Amino acid sequence: MTEVSSQDPRLQDSMPAGAEAAASGFTQQQIEALFINAAREGDAELLASFLEAGMDPNLRAEKGYTPLILAAYNGNIDAVSALLKGGAKPDLQDEKGATALAGVAFKGNLPIARLLLEAGAGVDVPNSVGRTPLMFAVMFGRDDMAKLLLKAGACPTRRDGEGLNAQDLARRQGNTVLAGLMKQETRAAS
C-alpha cells in the first residue's frame, strides 16, 4: 500500500492544496489522483470536500477524462450531482470528443442523463467522428434513452463522419419502432 492510499484526506482539518500539499506529505499530483479516484468510485462526500477546498471540478485526467465524465460513466449519481453543484461543466469532452452525456447514453443510465440535461448538457454534442449521444443510445439498443434524448431535443437527422444519422442506425439494426418514432419527431419539428 502506498503512502497516498494509506492516508485519508477526510481525516485532516483541511485538504492540502498547492504549497500546503507538499507540507502535508501530499504532492499536487497525488491530490489530483485522489480526486479523480473519488469521482470514478463515486465518493460524493470526499468529492464535496475536495471541491469546498478549491479543487478544480473540471480537472483533466488521462485521456482527457474529467471527474464528471468518470462519475457519470460509472453510474455514480451522487458524485455527478456533487460535481455539477461544484461547478463541473457538463459538455467538456475527452480526447475522443465524448461528453458525460455520451457515456451515459451508451450505458443507458436515465437518471444521470436527466441530471446532466437539467444541468444544461448539450443533447447533440458530437464526438470526434460526429456521433451524438442519440446515436450511441440507438447503436447500443437503449430505446428509453433514445426517447429521452429525443424529448430533450436531440436531432435524429444529424449525420456522423460516415454519413449516417440516428434513423439510419436504427433501421440498420432492425429497430423499426425507434426509426419510425424518429421519423415522426423529424416531421413534427419541420
Side-chain angles (χ1 to χ4, degrees):
M1 183 177 259
T2 67
E3 177 186 344
V4 172
S5 63
S6 66
Q7 296 178 21
D8 186 351
R10 290 176 285 196
L11 301 177
Q12 299 174 5
D13 290 335
S14 64
M15 188 197 71
E20 297 170 13
S24 69
F26 286 98
T27 66
Q28 188 64 31
Q29 185 177 6
Q30 290 169 327
I31 291 168
E32 290 172 0
L34 288 168
F35 182 60
I36 293 295
N37 285 335
R40 184 180 285 118
E41 295 169 11
D43 190 337
E45 182 181 320
L46 183 54
L47 284 171
S49 294
F50 274 111
L51 293 166
E52 288 172 21
M55 184 64 77
D56 179 4
N58 300 304
L59 180 73
R60 297 294 184 144
E62 75 283 349
K63 299 181 184 178
Y65 299 142
T66 65
L68 184 62
I69 289 171
L70 292 168
Y73 184 81
N74 287 297
N76 300 317
I77 194 164
D78 292 337
V80 168
S81 180
L83 288 161
L84 289 169
K85 287 177 186 170
K89 296 177 183 173
D91 286 338
L92 291 181
Q93 297 171 285
D94 67 18
E95 289 177 356
K96 292 185 178 182
T99 62
L101 185 58
V104 298
F106 157 73
K107 292 201 124 179
N109 191 316
L110 293 170
I112 292 180
R114 285 185 190 100
L115 189 59
L116 290 167
L117 290 166
E118 289 169 10
V123 73
D124 279 328
V125 177
N127 70 6
S128 58
V129 295
R131 297 238 165 96
T132 64
L134 177 60
M135 292 175 186
F136 284 113
V138 171
M139 289 168 55
F140 293 95
R142 312 292 188 208
D143 290 7
D144 289 340
M145 178 65 70
K147 291 172 187 173
L148 172 70
L149 294 170
L150 286 166
K151 285 182 184 175
C155 178
T157 57
R158 182 182 186 122
R159 298 204 177 273
D160 67 11
E162 295 176 6
L164 300 170
N165 63 34
Q167 289 176 336
D168 298 331
L169 294 168
R171 281 192 296 273
R172 186 191 258 186
Q173 292 182 281
N175 192 337
T176 56
V177 172
L178 190 55
L181 177 65
M182 286 188 273
K183 191 171 185 177
Q184 288 175 336
E185 289 288 326
T186 302
R187 283 185 193 147
S190 305

